[in-house]
Amino acid sequence: MKKTHIVAIILIAVGIGAILSTVSSSGTYSDFSVAAKNKDMDYHVNGKLDKAKDIHYNPEENANLFTFYMIDKKGVERKVLYNGSKPQDFEKSDEIVLVGHCTGKDFMAKTILLKCPSKYSNPNEDMKEFKAKG
Amino acid sequence: MNYPGEHPIFGQLGHLFVALAFAAALLSCICYFASLKGELIGNSWARIGRIAFGIHSFAVAGIVATMFYVIYNHYFEYYYAWYHSSYTLPFRYMFACFWEGQEGSFLLWAVWHVVLSWIIIWKGGEWEAPVVGVIATVQVFLSSMLLGVYVFGYKLGSDPFIYLRNNPEMQNLPFIKMADYLTKIKDGRGLNPLLQNYWMVIHPPTLFLGFASTVVPFAFALGGLIKGKYTEWVKPAIPWAFFGVMILGTGVLMGAAWAYEALSFGGFWAWDPVENASLVPWLTFVGAAHLMLIFKHRQHSIVSTYIFTIVTFLLVLYSTFLTRSGILGSTSVHAFTDLGMSGQLIVYMAFYVLLSAYLLIKNRKKLPKTEVEEEISSREFWMFIGTLVLMISAMQITFTTSIPVFDKLGFYHITNGLGSVVNLFVGIINRLFGADIHLIAKRHNLSPPDDPKAHYNLWQLPIAVILGVLTAISQFFKYKTTDEKEWMKKISLSLLLSVLLSAFISWQLEFNRVNYFILLFTSIFTVIANFDFMVRVLKLKVGLSGASIAHIGFGMILLGILISNSKSTIISQNHSDVNLGKDFPNNENVMLIKGDTVPMKDYYISYKGRHRGTAITDEKNLYYTIEYFKRNPDTKRLDKEFELMPTVQLNQRMGNVSEPSTKRFAMKDIYTHITYADFDDVEDPTSDSIYKKPITKQMKVGDTVALVNSLLILTGIDKEVDKAAMKLNNTDLAAGAILKVIDINKHETVAVPVMVIRGNNLFSIPVTLDSLGLKLDFPKINPENGKADIVITEKRKNEFIIMKAIIFPWINLLWLGALLMILGCLVAIRKRLRTRD
């Protein structure tokens, strides 16, 4: 066996490790009730903004806290706390994808992804991403 | 029907050119391949192939010219012109709107293929027929992307010359059905304001030239297999490979610079799928180029050379598929949307996968085998290891980026299956040893990692360390074999210097993590060792030092990435007392009220005010002037250091977009970015008065209106107003609206504005609530529905912005390294071209 082969085998093993780690670190699209069961884990939760409820951002009080209510795909509603400033055009959003975890009653969002319907009649939706950590 | 104002000639011309380009490319590749059967010199098949390729090139130029003419003249009857351009668009963005759409960017790609092919034809020789023949097959596919015809009910390609009135998204709008619909279209939709940026002018052509350049070595490799010249193709392909590495690398880095300068990523690399899609082919391309060098010097590793060269091109196709099929939809911020061409892209990919696999397997016996084994002390051994590491890097990035694809394919069945097997063992272990290991939960779909940065860094940082060390040590090895003692002697100086320097720097920068130190050491080692090689071995002969210069550049890029990322500090800390506990530890945004001066790390900052751009094309931009001061220790006064002007673009289409502004110093950048601003009163001409524009609400008893910081409830109508107290006549008819105002602290106030009818006159007595900044008025009751008109005037709040400021130290090392890498490639290409003649 050549030395190159040995090295190649080691590298292939590392490659498989990389792939397995990708699988294990990949997230899951989920809903609030699943996320509430496992409060240590981060989930991707999609849903809609509850426009009837309070959308609160008061920068004079705290420029890094934005709260709102989201209804997930199964109709469960939760208050969402986001550690950052309010995303521009937030109210216009059609669909929201949150990444974060549940706490007692709330959901702590690390990232907010917004899907905004276009003003024009084309079907493509534009995504915007907001991250709590820079 | 006759539609006045249309210019049908351009559509007809355009369709003719597209059809011609498609047919000529098909003819060209058939003839070129037919020519391979016989002698090439004076071969009439080859000549027809070349002529057909000439016609194809002419047709491609014709499509570009027609499309450009249509866009330039704003012929909005053509959907592409309407969708991507507008009257107000400055001329310099005409090109940008040309390649904003998918069709235009495919065309740009095809243009580069044509240009590169003519260089090959001009160089002439035996490689013309196989190489241009393979490229012509790619051109067949690319032209088919523009056909827009239906074949057995399947739409082939997307027609860039489709009429606005025929576009499926538009054709059902009522006005489109009228003959004079064009008079109703005042202006085009225009180039997305987000992309109205000089990067949009220079980045796509560079990146697409990079993509296009991967086809040349690929075509040489396939040409070699087809012609039966299994190894001869490598030598002429080497300059092309380094050319491609240089251009594609430049394209990737331009994307990073764009992200850093103009987009609000807060950095230059976000591991976004679109960024990854261009980085991955570059990694394998670098591997392929190095394998070609190994083969040229040692006639080793031809199979790997084939695989890397082919995979690079396939990865370009794959990234095209990822970014254009819409599959990344919810994971990427800036992928193209689906034009219904994903099926075609899959066929395109499958064709080249199968063709390359077939040719490789068919000829596998004829590929030269390496008889002797590489010495560990040989340069080729370490270069080979390096290429494998590059492949792992590419695989890991591809794998994670492809999660949406795996999800679509139902990949979670496999992961769930694997998970159950693992769970079985975990269960046994738990049972036997009384352990309490968590079982893997079943999942129904996969999403990208929750923290992509951490995920990629976990793999890519160690890989960067290995690659750095390899680029540092490899050149000191000679091809074939090296005297180990001599090697040790040569490398030890750089090693010693690097240890000392990195220890010094990490002490200076207060690095406290081992992994930072390791990466710091490797990047410095890469720079020093390659510089040392240039000085002591190459005697500073620049013409020979291409590799060393490029590797120094690589080291500096690593160094720049490491320091600017690990030592970046967010200086816009919030100083308020609000603390949200460990869940929300980082307060990165700070509020600035207009006119206030706030301390921020070494600076004092002040928000001076905002203004709109003045030019018609600039009107959409709001410029915020942020002044940075420093306290002069002698005079104790604040001296202005500099001024930054982050922008918010009021973008109707994509939502408002904020663009950072960065002050560049030699040693650091100060990046300033508006994260939130209030635009309610931007359009209001009275914006200097203390009150906002009044709002009138029709309310019936029991109705509630939500205001900025309070709730307003109409609890009743008071018909027995105390007239005397309000100095009204006894004959007046008066009614008061009883309004309950609840503020944020649930504190309630009652206000009663009064409506008075005196004879034929109607007037009112408003109430002002100073503590809430509210003025309430009750001018009338609507006779038709009995609802009260309540006029609410809110006091304007002090204008403020929320901003974020980050210091990126030493980031210029990254850009300097990028320049050196490009320069190194240029030197290497020049050397290869010289030695060839």
Side-chain angles (χ1 to χ4, degrees):
Chain A
M1 206 182 209
K2 289 185 197 174
K3 289 179 202 99
T4 339
H5 289 174
I6 298 167
V7 178
I9 288 168
I10 293 169
L11 290 176
I12 289 166
V14 175
I16 292 171
I19 289 164
L20 285 179
S21 100
T22 302
V23 171
S24 63
S25 75
S26 69
T28 311
Y29 287 114
S30 190
D31 54 60
F32 282 142
S33 26
V34 173
K37 276 183 204 143
N38 193 349
K39 294 198 169 81
D40 302 325
M41 218 177 116
D42 277 349
Y43 289 90
H44 284 61
V45 181
N46 2 12
K48 272 186 168 28
L49 172 69
D50 186 348
K51 289 180 185 169
K53 287 222 173 139
D54 193 23
I55 300 168
H56 188 76
Y57 181 58
N58 186 357
E60 281 161 278
E61 198 176 278
N62 183 354
N64 295 290
L65 176 66
F66 170 52
T67 61
F68 57 93
Y69 289 83
M70 191 181 91
I71 307 168
D72 72 6
K73 286 271 155 79
K74 290 201 173 139
V76 180
E77 184 172 77
R78 234 168 212 273
K79 187 176 182 183
V80 180
L81 307 181
Y82 171 59
N83 178 207
S85 58
K86 179 177 167 183
Q88 308 279 10
D89 291 318
F90 185 75
E91 283 88 350
K92 285 188 202 159
S93 72
D94 215 30
E95 203 190 319
I96 308 174
V97 185
L98 302 173
V99 182
H101 65 276
C102 277
T103 59
K105 292 201 311 271
D106 308 328
F107 187 85
M108 297 282 176
K110 275 200 279 194
T111 311
I112 301 180
L113 266 159
L114 296 179
K115 261 190 181 174
C116 301
S118 259
K119 254 203 160 175
Y120 296 83
S121 58
N122 67 62
N124 56 338
E125 289 180 327
D126 301 310
M127 297 289 292
K128 289 213 282 180
E129 187 172 8
F130 295 90
K131 285 203 171 83
K133 284 174 199 162
Chain B
M1 198 169 358
N2 194 21
Y3 298 94
E6 287 190 347
H7 307 78
I9 177 75
F10 296 104
Q12 290 157 1
L13 209 56
H15 289 136
L16 181 73
F17 282 134
V18 172
L20 188 64
F22 178 74
L26 196 59
L27 180 67
S28 174
C29 67
I30 292 170
C31 294
Y32 269 132
F33 289 134
S35 77
L36 293 176
K37 294 280 172 205
E39 273 299 309
L40 222 64
I41 312 300
N43 185 321
S44 51
W45 278 117
R47 207 172 312 136
I48 304 172
R50 186 189 294 181
I51 292 167
F53 198 80
I55 296 169
H56 168 75
S57 313
F58 168 75
V60 169
I63 307 171
V64 173
T66 316
M67 250 173 91
F68 196 75
Y69 196 80
V70 165
I71 293 172
Y72 180 72
N73 288 300
H74 308 291
Y75 292 158
F76 293 140
E77 64 267 34
Y78 295 104
Y79 181 75
Y80 202 88
W82 173 80
Y83 194 90
H84 298 288
S85 79
S86 62
Y87 286 119
T88 53
L89 197 69
F91 176 74
R92 60 182 181 279
Y93 296 129
M94 283 293 154
F95 293 100
C97 52
F98 179 86
W99 48 66
E100 188 198 16
Q102 290 222 33
E103 298 88 345
S105 61
F106 275 124
L107 200 51
L108 177 62
W109 196 359
V111 167
W112 284 128
H113 280 165
V114 167
V115 172
L116 297 179
S117 301
W118 279 102
I119 298 174
I120 293 160
I121 296 173
W122 169 63
K123 285 261 168 197
E126 53 171 347
W127 288 105
E128 175 190 336
V131 173
V132 182
V134 171
I135 298 178
T137 63
V138 183
Q139 293 300 84
V140 173
F141 281 107
L142 283 180
S143 319
S144 78
M145 298 288 178
L146 304 175
L147 280 175
V149 294
Y150 283 86
V151 181
F152 305 118
Y154 181 80
K155 190 175 157 225
L156 202 61
S158 174
D159 173 14
F161 295 101
I162 192 168
Y163 280 123
L164 181 69
R165 58 184 155 85
N166 288 340
N167 187 285
E169 287 161 18
M170 305 296 291
Q171 62 187 3
N172 292 326
L173 299 178
F175 83 93
I176 287 287
K177 297 202 165 81
M178 288 179 234
D180 62 342
Y181 77 101
L182 266 179
T183 59
K184 305 230 166 28
I185 296 174
K186 297 286 175 254
D187 201 357
R189 191 173 177 265
L191 177 67
N192 184 347
L194 195 60
L195 302 174
Q196 291 183 23
N197 185 300
Y198 68 97
W199 288 108
M200 185 61 188
V201 182
I202 57 172
H203 172 63
T206 315
L207 191 66
F208 276 98
L209 178 56
F211 282 159
S213 64
T214 62
V215 85
V216 183
F218 170 77
F220 268 105
L222 284 205
L225 288 172
I226 295 167
K227 256 168 74 98
K229 300 211 163 184
Y230 300 111
T231 56
E232 290 88 336
W233 62 273
V234 174
K235 217 179 153 203
I238 290 177
W240 284 107
F242 280 98
F243 170 77
V245 164
M246 173 177 79
I247 300 291
L248 189 55
T250 310
V252 172
L253 282 162
M254 272 183 174
W258 183 0
Y260 175 65
E261 191 190 285
L263 306 176
S264 44
F265 283 8
F268 44 82
W269 199 261
W271 294 109
D272 186 275
V274 177
E275 294 176 313
N276 295 348
S278 52
L279 173 67
V280 167
W282 183 78
L283 292 172
T284 57
F285 211 5
V286 172
H290 283 80
L291 284 167
M292 287 180 193
L293 289 183
I294 297 180
F295 184 80
K296 182 175 165 257
H297 288 276
R298 296 286 301 142
Q299 280 72 49
H300 273 183
S301 328
I302 190 71
V303 178
S304 310
T305 314
Y306 269 113
I307 291 173
F308 271 72
T309 310
I310 290 167
V311 159
T312 300
F313 177 70
L314 295 178
L315 281 170
V316 167
L317 297 186
Y318 182 61
S319 64
T320 310
F321 167 74
L322 277 184
T323 49
R324 285 156 189 267
S325 62
I327 203 160
L328 294 177
S330 59
T331 60
S332 170
V333 194
H334 48 251
F336 282 96
T337 44
D338 189 10
L339 271 188
M341 291 203 282
S342 31
Q344 219 174 325
L345 286 166
I346 291 173
V347 171
Y348 184 13
M349 257 189 315
F351 175 80
Y352 287 105
V353 171
L354 294 176
L355 179 70
S356 329
Y358 166 74
L359 287 173
L360 264 184
I361 291 166
K362 192 183 117 193
N363 295 304
R364 67 186 186 284
K365 295 261 165 62
K366 295 174 194 141
L367 302 178
K369 288 260 168 13
T370 319
E371 301 299 336
V372 276
E373 188 181 334
E374 294 110 328
E375 292 285 331
I376 282 193
S377 66
S378 70
R379 187 185 288 182
E380 60 268 27
F381 176 79
W382 294 104
M383 276 166 86
F384 188 75
I385 303 286
T387 58
L388 290 180
V389 175
L390 282 168
M391 184 58 98
I392 287 179
S393 166
M395 269 164 61
Q396 195 272 326
I397 301 172
T398 308
F399 213 82
T400 306
T401 313
S402 304
I403 284 176
V405 181
F406 299 143
D407 191 39
K408 207 146 240 176
L409 294 174
F411 193 75
Y412 49 87
H413 291 304
I414 300 173
T415 55
N416 281 346
L418 281 176
S420 329
V421 175
V422 175
N423 280 347
L424 191 70
F425 285 105
V426 171
I428 293 170
I429 290 167
N430 281 350
R431 182 75 53 88
L432 282 181
F433 302 103
D436 187 24
I437 304 168
H438 278 294
L439 297 180
I440 297 170
K442 264 203 185 344
R443 317 190 220 188
H444 298 291
N445 47 26
L446 300 172
S447 70
D450 298 323
D451 190 350
K453 251 187 179 163
H455 167 79
Y456 284 109
N457 288 351
L458 179 69
W459 283 95
Q460 299 300 325
L461 288 186
I463 287 174
V465 167
I466 299 172
L467 287 176
V469 172
L470 287 173
T471 42
I473 62 167
S474 296
Q475 283 217 84
F476 287 96
F477 288 108
K478 296 194 177 85
Y479 282 111
K480 209 167 173 184
T481 179
T482 318
D483 178 13
E484 278 163 37
K485 273 191 186 140
E486 201 187 324
W487 178 80
M488 278 302 289
K489 227 168 81 186
K490 276 183 183 157
I491 200 88
S492 51
L493 176 69
S494 321
L495 199 61
L496 184 71
L497 276 177
S498 311
V499 170
L500 291 177
L501 191 61
S502 45
F504 176 73
I505 291 179
S506 57
W507 170 63
Q508 278 287 309
L509 293 176
E510 296 165 357
F511 271 154
N512 46 12
R513 282 207 233 157
V514 183
N515 50 0
Y516 285 166
F517 179 78
I518 293 172
L519 190 58
L520 181 74
F521 164 74
T522 14
S523 37
I524 289 176
F525 186 36
T526 310
V527 174
I528 292 184
N530 278 289
F531 186 68
D532 181 38
F533 187 79
M534 223 176 121
V535 175
R536 287 201 296 170
V537 181
L538 300 174
K539 311 284 180 220
L540 279 175
K541 286 188 193 111
V542 176
L544 300 176
S545 321
S548 302
I549 296 172
H551 290 165
I552 291 173
F554 175 67
M556 285 172 81
I557 289 177
L558 287 186
L559 201 59
I561 291 175
L562 170 71
I563 298 177
S564 69
N565 261 323
S566 62
K567 286 283 134 189
S568 74
T569 33
I570 296 160
I571 54 175
S572 52
Q573 300 286 340
N574 199 343
H575 295 287
S576 73
D577 305 328
V578 186
N579 186 358
L580 287 154
K582 66 173 171 47
D583 277 317
F584 280 171
N586 52 332
N587 296 324
E588 307 176 342
N589 299 291
V590 70
M591 184 169 100
L592 282 181
I593 294 169
K594 189 172 161 182
D596 281 6
T597 304
V598 177
M600 207 170 75
K601 198 99 184 212
D602 301 339
Y603 295 98
Y604 288 83
I605 51 164
S606 170
Y607 165 41
K608 202 172 157 195
R610 63 178 181 199
H611 67 272
R612 250 177 201 277
T614 42
I616 186 153
T617 50
D618 196 24
E619 264 183 338
K620 59 188 181 299
N621 291 321
L622 276 179
Y623 294 92
Y624 289 81
T625 310
I626 315 283
E627 293 176 312
Y628 278 74
F629 300 92
K630 256 188 184 167
R631 192 179 289 285
N632 186 322
D634 302 326
T635 60
K636 303 279 179 226
R637 274 213 310 264
L638 291 180
D639 293 342
K640 186 163 155 186
E641 294 280 306
F642 56 91
E643 189 176 278
L644 285 174
M645 233 183 255
T647 317
V648 174
Q649 194 180 74
L650 302 171
N651 187 334
Q652 293 294 318
R653 199 153 107 208
M654 298 278 289
N656 299 329
V657 184
S658 91
E659 196 173 290
S661 172
T662 302
K663 177 72 187 171
R664 290 168 183 267
F665 297 97
M667 303 293 282
K668 67 178 179 199
D669 278 10
I670 297 182
Y671 168 100
T672 301
H673 177 222
I674 304 231
T675 49
Y676 181 83
D678 203 3
F679 307 114
D680 284 350
D681 46 5
V682 166
E683 306 299 337
D684 183 359
T686 64
S687 66
D688 282 332
S689 79
I690 32 170
Y691 284 102
K692 288 190 193 172
K693 259 198 302 206
I695 328 160
T696 305
K697 296 271 179 194
Q698 290 196 359
M699 298 174 82
K700 63 176 193 298
V701 174
D703 280 359
T704 305
V705 173
L707 302 175
V708 174
N709 46 17
S710 54
L711 278 178
L712 191 70
I713 306 161
L714 180 64
T715 54
I717 301 288
D718 181 9
K719 292 196 175 116
E720 272 143 49
V721 179
D722 183 356
K723 289 178 193 164
M726 308 195 82
K727 297 191 178 106
L728 293 174
N729 301 338
N730 240 341
T731 52
D732 292 345
L733 291 173
I738 306 170
L739 292 164
K740 185 153 75 176
V741 186
I742 306 172
D743 71 8
I744 288 175
N745 304 318
K746 307 275 182 236
H747 183 79
E748 290 182 16
T749 321
V750 174
V752 188
V754 175
M755 176 191 86
V756 185
I757 302 168
R758 179 178 291 169
N760 289 331
N761 290 331
L762 182 70
F763 66 94
S764 64
I765 302 164
V767 176
T768 307
L769 297 170
D770 278 331
S771 61
L772 289 163
L774 269 182
K775 199 158 83 180
L776 300 167
D777 200 1
F778 175 33
K780 67 175 189 344
I781 287 186
N782 292 288
E784 63 270 24
N785 55 15
K787 282 188 182 173
D789 261 13
I790 302 293
V791 179
I792 304 154
T793 318
E794 284 179 274
K795 213 179 218 168
R796 195 181 294 285
K797 270 198 289 183
N798 285 329
E799 201 207 315
F800 67 90
I801 51 166
I802 307 292
M803 60 161 260
K804 191 188 244 186
I806 310 174
I807 292 185
F808 289 106
W810 289 28
I811 194 166
N812 284 337
L813 277 179
L814 168 66
W815 311 125
L816 187 64
L819 288 180
L820 282 179
M821 214 151 144
I822 295 167
L823 186 73
C825 287
L826 271 177
V827 172
I829 296 165
R830 187 168 149 267
K831 183 179 143 201
R832 297 291 155 201
L833 287 178
R834 289 212 163 165
T835 52
R836 205 162 60 147
D837 299 331

